[in-house]
Amino acid sequence: MRNGLASAIFGASLVAGCGPRRLPNVPPPTPVVIVIEVTATPLVPADLIFVWPDGAANELRALDEFGQTRFALPAGIRTADDAKMIAASDNRITTFDMRSGAATSAITQTARLALKAISPRGEWAVLQSSPSQMQVMDLRLARARLIQMEGNFAPLAISDNGRWLYLREQPSPANPDLFLLFRLDLMDDNAAPHPLQFNGGSGPASGEILESAYTPDAKQWLALMHDRANALVYAQMIDLNSGDVFNLYLPVTGAGDVAANGAYRLAMVNGGAAYAINLASGVATEIDTASRRVTKFARFASQPQAPSAKRILAAARGEVYFASGRNVWVYDTTRNIVGGPMSLEADVVGLAAPGDGRVMLALSDGSIQSVFGYTLLPRR
């Protein structure tokens, strides 16, 4: 990326005859980088059970196998490999090591901006102050570029090399589920957002983002989308280098409840698989992220979802564990069956899958339980 700061204004995509125009450069406040030495001894990730916050104001806790809190972090965005988390608090952007909880760097700005997206490995961050103004920051060099646009834009993703910024525009305030997709070349100071083709055209399309994540290889962004108008759920994948967009429609039952109370959850596994679990519909789906197709799905008894129930999941190769309230299930991806639920004495607030055939469960009463996946499955 060129050194220096750039500012550009782009015409709203749906306004006829409105092309890209330039604004005078308005440099963002110069950030100050503070490097903090790592002093904690890193832990193997499988040693930790993460209790994720219910809201942006709550903290993430990392528990050991005895239920003791090893460290706590502010809510943030994890990298694709779960090695780091980027968090923004007040006017500071901090990078944390997810194995030790140590802060590895922090950037302080004079303005308070909301953290909206990071690159897959956490080297770039997108911060936003309004729907038409955002900053793209190189977290290694503490350099920022100011982007200004006309329209209602939300950053979705940024490529691993920091060149491509992906944006979603909501052209109709009356229908927030309608959207258009754009890609902006951050290496070109004069570039306008380029509309992306999907569903046989450039939009607009309909869909609410339920959950999103990068694939572990840092090459794609995947989101679970709920099309309320047509009672459909689909996975939208964006190739971060080419800008190609792929939509994969997922099997559901009781489509009207597919997104009820956040019933859908998404998990990524190294090796090119993503898993979408829908408790309200009772469907577990496997997506091959390399071929971009649904490879299998399994049905299980659907579960009514209480608004207060915490819904979490963890995946290891061949196994996907998920929990809601006091119940826990396992999806055996080899046999393509879902086992469970096993009902516990307290709500599950965190779980981890070490990859040895068991799941470690943190319960709301402070206890830790280990359950082997085969005990949840029907006998062969």
Side-chain angles (χ1 to χ4, degrees):
M1 179 180 291
R2 294 191 183 101
N3 293 330
L5 304 169
S7 172
I9 184 167
F10 308 105
S13 59
L14 296 185
V15 179
C18 184
R21 293 182 291 116
R22 296 283 297 178
L23 276 182
N25 288 344
V26 183
T30 303
V32 178
V33 64
I34 305 169
V35 178
I36 304 172
E37 295 294 331
V38 178
T39 57
T41 302
L43 297 170
V44 178
D47 290 342
L48 299 176
I49 306 169
F50 290 106
V51 179
W52 300 103
D54 292 315
N58 297 325
E59 64 181 13
L60 162 72
R61 291 186 297 127
L63 309 180
D64 61 21
E65 59 184 333
F66 304 106
Q68 300 298 312
T69 299
R70 290 291 187 93
F71 58 84
L73 301 176
I77 304 175
R78 290 174 288 168
T79 55
D81 59 3
D82 286 334
K84 297 185 290 185
M85 188 172 76
I86 316 299
S89 178
D90 295 327
N91 62 338
R92 172 172 285 204
I93 307 161
T94 308
T95 300
F96 294 97
D97 184 324
M98 289 287 285
R99 298 167 299 174
S100 66
T104 58
S105 70
I107 298 172
T108 301
Q109 296 190 111
T110 56
R112 181 175 181 176
L113 301 174
L115 178 65
K116 293 297 184 179
I118 63 172
S119 61
R121 293 186 174 90
E123 295 176 344
W124 304 84
V126 185
L127 302 112
Q128 194 167 26
S129 57
S130 72
S132 60
Q133 181 170 298
M134 61 193 73
Q135 287 187 27
V136 178
M137 180 174 289
D138 184 334
L139 296 178
R140 301 160 301 177
L141 302 176
R143 292 178 179 171
R145 165 175 291 200
L146 181 65
I147 305 295
Q148 296 187 90
M149 293 167 287
E150 288 182 348
N152 186 11
F153 287 89
L156 297 177
I158 185 169
S159 61
D160 202 37
N161 60 6
R163 176 172 182 175
W164 303 107
L165 175 63
Y166 292 89
L167 302 160
R168 171 181 167 125
E169 185 192 18
Q170 292 178 287
S172 171
N175 190 346
D177 285 353
L178 283 179
F179 68 92
L180 298 160
L181 293 178
F182 292 87
R183 182 168 80 151
L184 178 62
D185 186 351
L186 297 174
M187 295 289 286
D188 185 346
D189 293 342
N190 298 310
H194 177 72
L196 298 181
Q197 300 286 322
F198 57 100
N199 282 359
S202 57
S206 177
E208 170 199 10
I209 298 175
L210 302 178
E211 288 213 336
S212 65
Y214 290 113
T215 54
D217 62 9
K219 295 180 180 179
Q220 299 183 85
W221 178 84
L222 188 155
L224 293 180
M225 309 288 292
H226 180 208
D227 181 352
R228 278 187 275 219
N230 298 300
L232 296 171
V233 172
Y234 62 97
Q236 185 164 85
M237 304 180 70
I238 300 178
D239 185 308
L240 297 174
N241 293 317
S242 68
D244 293 333
V245 181
F246 305 87
N247 289 342
L248 305 175
Y249 288 91
L250 305 183
V252 297
T253 55
D257 294 327
V258 291
N261 299 323
Y264 248 109
R265 284 296 178 262
L266 175 69
M268 296 286 184
V269 179
N270 282 316
Y275 295 94
I277 309 295
N278 188 333
L279 287 159
S281 289
V283 182
T285 305
E286 180 183 83
I287 301 168
D288 186 321
T289 59
S291 63
R292 303 184 181 100
R293 62 189 180 93
V294 173
T295 49
K296 63 181 72 168
F297 64 92
R299 299 194 183 277
F300 59 96
S302 61
Q303 299 289 317
Q305 295 298 293
S308 60
K310 196 178 186 75
R311 290 163 291 276
I312 48 181
L313 79 165
R317 188 177 295 275
E319 300 165 340
V320 180
Y321 296 93
F322 52 100
S324 177
R326 298 188 175 197
N327 295 324
V328 60
W329 296 258
V330 62
Y331 176 27
D332 183 328
T333 63
T334 303
R335 296 170 60 188
N336 196 34
I337 58 173
V338 175
M342 174 184 285
S343 185
L344 304 171
E345 295 182 358
D347 286 352
V348 179
V349 295
L351 55 78
D356 57 2
R358 65 192 173 104
V359 60
M360 299 170 62
L361 304 160
L363 304 184
S364 58
D365 62 6
S367 64
I368 302 292
Q369 289 192 22
S370 288
V371 176
F372 282 93
Y374 73 86
T375 64
L376 301 173
L377 293 167
R379 294 184 179 180
R380 293 180 184 268

